[in-house]
Amino acid sequence: MKCNYACNSPEHTIARRDFLGRLAAGACTMTGLSSLVHPAAAAQIAAQKKRVLSIFLSGGVSQFESFDPKPGTLTGGPFRAIPTSVPGIHVCELLPKTAQQMHRLSLIRTVNTNNNDHGLSRYQIERGHAQSATADFPHIGAIVAKGLDEGTSPLPGHIHVSSGAGSRSSNSAYLGPKYASISVGTNGGLQNSELPGGMTATINDQRQAFRRHANERFLQRRRTAETDAYVESHERAIQLMANREIFDVTKESEKCAAQYGEFDLGKQCLLARRLLEHDISFVQVSHSNYDTHAENFNFHIEQLGEFDQAFATLIDDLAQRGMLDSTLVMVLTEFGRTPNINYRYGRDHWGKGFSIALAGCGIQPGAVIGAMNKDGTEIADREVKPADLFHTYLRAIGLDPQSEFDIDGRSVPMADPTGMAVEELLA
Amino acid sequence: MSEAESSTPEPATFDIQASHVAREWKYSAPFIGCRYDPTGRYVFAASMDFTIQRWDLQDDSHTTFAAHESWLRGIGFSPDGQQLVSAGYDGKLCFWETAASPAEGQAVAPTREFSAHEGWVRWLAVHPDGKLIATAGNDLKVKLWSAETGELVQTLEGHAKHIYSLLFHPGGELLLSGDLQGVVNQWELASGKLVRSLDAKLLYTYHGGQQVDYGGVRCMALSTDGKRLACGGLHKATNPFAGVQEPLVLVFDWETGEQIRTHEATEVPRGIVWRLVYEPDGTLVGGIGGQAGFLTFWKEEKTEVHKLALPNTILDLDQHPSEFAVVTAHHDNHVRITRMTAKA
């Protein structure tokens, strides 16, 4: 795809050089923070930088078995509701540790995507717009990375932690490849990030310098979106290699790792905390899978057991480190599950009223927004749409959802103008 | 209730080809468990509304037993049928008077109840002499309780995953417990020691793509001659989240502990074997639930010899104590009795 980057405008040239310069400066800053600053002061500095953590429960977690239990009803299933650290708020008994963190969380129980398709509903939740054949919209992570990017970090601003690793997504739409997510895993740190055997750092520096020189000459006449993406990926990879220890959860103590859990989600949440500590603007962890058309209750015991331990530990850890006030934490899912329990002990897709949880930066803790009816079959009070969530997220971290991106001279709204923030949830 | 058969004397001939639904009752919620009482007078069925429903086969009268705070599938009786015991996903063990008669419009309350496990109790079994009650919990423990006092007598630990089923050996000296991973542990009651483990792992699937454990020993039955142990469940779980699997029975030689054959059920889409019972002639009867419900009949060393489609998926089954009949629990709010004899 050709783009008008080939115009050779000074702005674009300077922007890219500026970016490379910032990468180098950022590396120094990071070194300074970790080694020279008093830990208390470092925490204070860290607290000033806002970040977002999304924990995405893929497949559609059941609201009945998580944040909106309906015990004693025919739709409620076999689990009981338990009290939380906030009087009057109950959650499902599958979340005993999360219940003890309720004073740091808030719930929205009436999210409505009005869509039961995994991909389409997830698109709405993560991008704040309905999917369209004529326009693509950026992932919330790309918007946050762009909005919060201070140009001081040597690391990408938008990272997805997953069981796989190393892939780069195209989820930044018109914001460009710089804000697309990079996927990293937890097994053995950052894969393929060491220099090949026999290559010294000096030799590597020299070959990278030569590559940059050759690139510069080429780009002066042939710059395109593709070449930008290529350069961007290369420079990001170099910085990731230089900071590879950040991605290595084995650097944490055994006790800490055990608290998070020795399973994939535990390790991924621990890695997420390490990334947030190093000022990554947006980190997403996905927990798979909750698409339980059969044996919904058995699978939720298994899946939410992992989630409860890892998530509650993470929230407490962020709070203890003084990071929660500056980190917006979102527990998202593409939709909920049906009130009806089918003949396989399963629940099917349900986009017409389900729950998410929010915590931290800009969020009033201990609140519950919206209510389903007694059986959880209809929204009884305060419908919240995906566009409203988007406005809420952005407002919580200090971004103005009414503002616009300047994309090649074209104004693009940061969020769907039809949405409105959930004002009563904002701190 | 709909009566599909008059109350003529029961023909004595066991004829699986003539099996037919003879009676059914409808309730206001799905059923997930069912049992005959030892006298054969009552049918008890556990509902998703947390109650136990009792039907008197003599006059069709209907009574509610209420105390559990969750679903339950564990129902058992004292050998004389006087006492009913139930265990539920609320972790509670409840004792009831089987033939209790509450006031009009009232539900029967338990004579005793207490918390038995952390989390679900998935199965309950009563010792042949009636003095012990065994429960299997999601806390990975098998507990033995005094039927007389309700006191905890013994705790058996050794399973790494949830325990799905229990079976007392009729000799009274052994207890079997089957779990999610297809491990069948054989416990010596006198010592509390694990004396043998049978390998039923064909009933277990770890699905790497969905990263879940699935399957398990959903039920067990010992042949009336004591020579065969059958374990039921599922296999070929290509998509656990959608319930894409096939039903499977493993048959073990009791003496050697070796698996000697498997029984499958053809054309039972997405089926799970929820309960197995042996008839006196060695016929194995399976209650299979999937997209439809089937009673499936297997003979020794033969593939299925007969299959009867029921109107709705089956979630549990029990055998009449003296007649050729089974009761089944269904998701469509029905309890059905199938007679394995010719229609009168």
Side-chain angles (χ1 to χ4, degrees):
Chain A
M1 179 186 75
K2 281 279 183 184
C3 74
N4 64 1
Y5 292 174
C7 66
N8 262 333
S9 67
E11 290 81 4
H12 283 121
T13 308
I14 289 169
R16 200 186 68 77
R17 286 175 175 162
D18 185 41
F19 164 72
L20 295 176
R22 286 177 178 181
L23 286 179
C28 296
T29 304
M30 175 113 10
T31 303
L33 254 185
S34 61
S35 61
L36 300 177
V37 180
H38 187 277
Q44 190 176 2
I45 293 169
Q48 294 168 356
K49 158 75 180 175
K50 291 178 179 173
R51 328 160 192 83
V52 177
L53 168 65
S54 164
I55 298 179
F56 202 97
L57 306 183
S58 299
V61 71
S62 169
Q63 67 278 18
F64 296 97
E65 278 69 63
S66 56
F67 296 117
D68 196 7
K70 301 289 185 187
T73 67
L74 274 183
T75 56
F79 298 114
R80 290 175 290 188
I82 57 172
T84 67
S85 58
V86 177
I89 299 180
H90 290 71
V91 296
C92 178
E93 64 177 314
L94 296 180
L95 300 176
K97 295 184 171 76
T98 301
Q100 294 309 307
Q101 298 296 322
M102 194 65 229
H103 57 287
R104 293 169 171 150
L105 308 175
S106 281
L107 305 177
I108 301 177
R109 286 175 165 163
T110 48
V111 179
N112 184 6
T113 64
N114 198 28
N115 198 311
N116 290 337
D117 178 272
H118 285 289
L120 295 177
S121 202
R122 181 165 185 161
Y123 193 97
Q124 289 187 63
I125 292 291
E126 291 188 322
R127 307 196 185 206
H129 292 260
Q131 193 163 8
S132 155
T134 56
D136 191 21
F137 298 96
H139 188 281
I140 179 68
I143 294 174
V144 168
K146 183 173 177 62
L148 297 183
D149 187 1
E150 296 169 349
T152 56
S153 173
L155 296 167
H158 182 190
I159 292 181
H160 288 196
V161 180
S162 67
S163 50
S167 62
R168 176 138 213 171
S169 172
S170 57
N171 54 12
S172 53
Y174 47 74
L175 295 181
K178 180 177 179 181
Y179 300 108
S181 63
I182 286 178
S183 175
V184 299
T186 54
N187 295 325
L190 201 59
Q191 293 177 19
N192 305 314
S193 59
E194 291 181 275
L195 290 175
M199 179 176 288
T200 65
T202 304
I203 292 174
N204 186 49
D205 287 346
Q206 289 172 346
R207 72 175 187 142
Q208 297 300 346
F210 177 73
R211 179 185 58 78
R212 288 186 182 116
H213 176 71
N215 276 354
E216 289 286 353
R217 289 191 59 186
F218 182 82
L219 293 173
Q220 283 175 9
R221 296 171 59 89
R222 308 287 292 274
R223 189 172 178 210
T224 65
E226 284 89 347
T227 60
D228 269 11
Y230 173 82
V231 170
E232 188 71 34
S233 297
H234 222 107
E235 295 301 336
R236 285 288 163 94
I238 291 168
Q239 294 303 328
L240 287 171
M241 290 170 69
N243 292 278
R244 59 194 303 275
E245 287 205 351
I246 295 171
F247 297 85
D248 188 355
V249 292
T250 65
K251 301 297 180 189
E252 298 287 334
S253 70
E254 289 183 6
K255 181 183 175 187
C256 181
Q259 286 175 328
Y260 273 84
E262 301 288 352
F263 38 82
D264 282 354
L265 182 66
K267 294 175 185 173
Q268 290 166 4
C269 284
L270 182 52
L271 175 56
R273 192 264 285 157
R274 289 176 65 84
L275 298 177
L276 294 167
E277 269 185 316
H278 288 85
D279 286 347
I280 307 299
S281 295
F282 185 95
V283 179
Q284 178 157 298
V285 174
S286 294
H287 191 211
S288 181
N289 189 299
Y290 292 86
D291 192 19
T292 48
H293 297 276
E295 307 231 342
N296 171 77
F297 308 98
N298 280 335
F299 288 133
H300 273 74
I301 291 175
E302 187 171 343
Q303 305 292 65
L304 285 176
E306 292 185 355
F307 168 79
D308 187 48
Q309 179 178 348
F311 175 68
T313 302
L314 177 59
I315 289 293
D316 191 52
D317 198 5
L318 291 174
Q320 298 299 329
R321 290 168 188 268
M323 295 169 62
L324 190 57
D325 288 344
S326 55
T327 306
L328 171 64
V329 181
M330 317 185 295
V331 180
L332 305 178
T333 188
E334 63 259 51
F335 42 53
R337 307 215 70 86
T338 50
N340 179 57
I341 298 164
N342 67 32
Y343 67 90
R344 299 183 299 248
Y345 288 107
R347 294 189 192 268
D348 302 306
H349 301 173
W350 185 257
K352 297 179 190 171
F354 59 97
S355 301
I356 68 163
L358 299 173
C361 182
I363 298 297
Q364 185 83 36
V368 173
I369 304 298
M372 301 296 290
N373 66 5
K374 178 174 172 288
D375 296 325
T377 55
E378 289 182 5
I379 292 173
D381 178 47
R382 187 61 167 107
E383 177 186 64
V384 177
K385 294 187 172 177
D388 303 329
L389 293 177
F390 234 66
H391 280 251
T392 308
Y393 307 149
L394 296 175
R395 286 273 302 280
I397 57 173
L399 298 178
D400 180 5
Q402 307 289 349
S403 63
E404 297 175 328
F405 292 122
D406 181 1
I407 307 299
D408 304 333
R410 183 167 56 98
S411 293
V412 179
M414 184 180 281
D416 183 341
T418 64
M420 295 180 65
V422 182
E423 295 289 344
E424 60 270 39
L425 192 55
L426 294 170
Chain B
M1 169 212 164
S2 72
E3 182 72 53
E5 186 181 57
S6 65
S7 56
T8 53
E10 179 69 25
T13 307
F14 179 54
D15 181 358
I16 56 177
Q17 302 293 338
S19 297
H20 62 282
V21 176
R23 300 173 78 165
E24 66 178 20
W25 295 274
K26 187 174 184 183
Y27 183 58
S28 57
F31 287 110
I32 56 176
C34 60
R35 290 293 182 271
Y36 281 106
D37 84 294
T39 69
R41 175 175 174 177
Y42 299 111
V43 160
F44 287 83
S47 166
M48 278 190 181
D49 70 358
F50 304 176
T51 65
I52 301 170
Q53 300 298 317
R54 185 189 71 192
W55 277 276
D56 187 333
L57 300 184
Q58 293 180 352
D59 60 10
D60 288 325
S61 60
H62 170 235
T63 306
T64 297
F65 289 55
H68 282 287
E69 298 170 73
S70 183
W71 295 352
L72 69 146
R73 296 191 75 239
I75 298 176
F77 301 89
S78 57
D80 64 3
Q82 296 292 308
Q83 181 171 258
L84 162 69
V85 193
S86 63
Y89 292 2
D90 53 4
K92 283 202 305 192
L93 190 56
C94 295
F95 295 74
W96 319 73
E97 184 186 339
T98 304
S101 299
E104 181 71 22
Q106 299 293 306
V108 177
T111 55
R112 182 195 301 150
E113 64 175 285
F114 54 85
S115 178
H117 288 266
E118 288 286 324
W120 291 9
V121 180
R122 291 180 187 260
W123 202 281
L124 175 150
V126 180
H127 190 276
D129 71 8
K131 293 179 180 174
L132 287 176
I133 296 162
T135 52
N138 274 4
D139 52 9
L140 309 183
K141 296 173 182 173
V142 175
K143 293 186 177 180
L144 295 168
W145 309 87
S146 164
E148 184 182 354
T149 66
E151 290 177 354
L152 179 63
V153 176
Q154 199 165 40
T155 300
L156 307 174
E157 297 186 66
H159 286 281
K161 293 285 183 178
H162 289 162
I163 307 160
Y164 278 16
S165 53
L166 295 173
L167 180 70
F168 276 109
H169 188 276
E173 297 175 350
L174 301 169
L175 174 69
L176 299 173
S177 54
D179 74 16
L180 170 59
Q181 285 186 311
V183 176
V184 177
N185 283 339
Q186 181 175 317
W187 307 89
E188 185 180 71
L189 294 173
S191 64
K193 288 182 179 173
L194 176 64
V195 293
R196 183 167 73 162
S197 287
L198 305 183
D199 180 0
K201 288 190 176 56
L202 285 177
L203 298 173
Y204 165 71
T205 299
Y206 176 74
H207 195 285
Q210 297 178 349
Q211 299 179 32
V212 289
D213 298 301
Y214 189 51
V217 182
R218 301 294 175 110
C219 55
M220 294 184 283
L222 197 66
S223 61
T224 48
D225 64 7
K227 293 180 178 177
R228 300 284 182 262
L229 173 71
C231 298
L234 62 95
H235 70 150
K236 298 181 182 176
T238 56
N239 185 353
F241 285 154
V244 179
Q245 72 256 328
E246 294 181 19
L248 181 67
V249 176
L250 307 181
V251 179
F252 294 85
D253 180 285
W254 175 255
E255 188 68 30
T256 65
E258 296 296 318
Q259 180 197 312
I260 55 174
R261 72 179 58 88
T262 60
H263 288 313
E264 300 189 28
T266 57
E267 299 174 359
V268 183
R270 303 184 171 192
I272 296 176
V273 181
W274 284 107
R275 187 88 196 282
L276 291 166
V277 294
Y278 272 105
E279 291 296 331
D281 74 340
T283 301
L284 183 61
V285 184
I288 303 179
Q291 285 181 324
F294 287 92
L295 290 181
T296 304
F297 303 85
W298 296 277
K299 295 283 191 182
E300 187 89 342
E301 296 182 11
K302 290 182 182 175
T303 56
E304 75 186 39
V305 293
H306 184 59
K307 190 168 60 201
L308 176 67
L310 295 187
N312 185 254
T313 189
I314 294 173
L315 296 175
D316 200 7
L317 171 149
D318 196 34
Q319 180 177 39
H320 192 283
S322 58
E323 298 175 2
F324 296 121
V326 292
V327 61
T328 45
H330 299 267
H331 185 265
D332 67 353
N333 304 356
H334 281 78
V335 175
R336 295 184 171 90
I337 289 179
T338 299
R339 295 202 178 279
M340 297 172 287
T341 57
K343 289 184 180 178

